[in-house]
Amino acid sequence: MFTSIEAFVQEWESVSAGTRRLMEALTDASLSQSVGEDYRTLGRLAWHLTCSPHEMLVRTGLELQAPGDEHVVPSSAADIAAAYARTSREVAGAVREQWQDAKLAESSDMYGEQWPNGITLRAVIQHEVHHRGQMTVLMRQAGLRVPGLYGPSLEEWQSMGMEPPVV
Ligand code: NI
């Protein structure tokens, strides 16, 4: 749970910089990649991550612009990346401008439960990290180069002329 606005913004900026790198590596053709029929496509996951901060945070009373209709996945990877970049900046700005630290201890109705706002901010980050892990698998299946998030990716080890560590 976050108890400080600055601690959230700092972590959010670091996490969303990584997610932006993933979004920017997507191509239009890769958006239809999925692990199988009836599973979310790469495009749908990317758009879900773009729409989720707004979907979750407006429940706390925070004022944010919706990036678009979550049910209508854009066909352009560049459009999704641009919308994600806009949303990630807006989230940091809205939390900084509209809230003080004390607001993080207040609770809001989240899906029928009362969550302290500092927990909701944590959930926004964890939800994003969860789905972007799914995205990296689909990106590999689509033949895309995967950017490293918590260390070099396989392709980055190779481009440094190094063997990836195998544990
Ligand atoms: Ni989700």
Side-chain angles (χ1 to χ4, degrees):
M1 161 161 175
F2 286 102
T3 53
S4 136
I5 299 289
E6 273 319 297
F8 166 73
V9 170
Q10 223 173 51
E11 188 169 329
W12 173 250
E13 285 178 346
S14 157
V15 166
S16 59
T19 306
R20 264 202 313 276
R21 287 202 304 278
L22 286 191
M23 298 288 187
E24 285 162 6
L26 301 177
T27 59
D28 294 351
S30 71
L31 299 182
S32 58
Q33 184 71 43
S34 77
V35 290
E37 243 179 275
D38 300 331
Y39 289 90
R40 279 195 260 203
T41 61
L42 182 52
R44 184 162 287 283
L45 276 175
W47 188 236
H48 176 56
L49 279 196
T50 302
C51 296
S52 287
H54 169 269
E55 188 278 325
M56 295 174 79
L57 292 173
V58 293
R59 294 168 189 270
T60 66
L62 211 59
E63 286 175 30
L64 280 169
Q65 290 236 328
D69 181 348
E70 169 146 17
H71 298 102
V72 183
V73 180
S75 55
S76 155
D79 286 353
I80 297 176
Y84 177 80
R86 215 166 32 242
T87 282
S88 72
R89 277 195 307 273
E90 276 180 17
V91 165
V95 171
R96 248 189 195 141
E97 287 158 25
Q98 298 173 36
W99 282 0
Q100 307 290 325
D101 288 350
K103 192 79 182 169
L104 301 175
E106 291 178 18
S107 292
S108 306
D109 185 295
M110 296 295 291
Y111 316 104
E113 296 174 5
Q114 288 293 312
W115 296 8
N117 295 325
I119 294 265
T120 301
L121 291 179
R122 169 55 64 201
V124 167
I125 288 182
Q126 288 187 206
H127 176 259
E128 180 153 325
V129 168
H130 162 68
H131 283 303
R132 79 183 189 184
Q134 297 174 321
M135 284 178 62
T136 59
V137 175
L138 293 174
M139 289 170 74
R140 280 254 158 70
Q141 289 185 325
L144 300 180
R145 187 187 159 94
V146 174
L149 289 166
Y150 297 104
S153 64
L154 174 66
E155 297 88 341
E156 289 169 350
W157 281 109
Q158 288 167 341
S159 69
M160 291 186 281
M162 294 166 79
E163 283 291 314
V166 177
V167 182

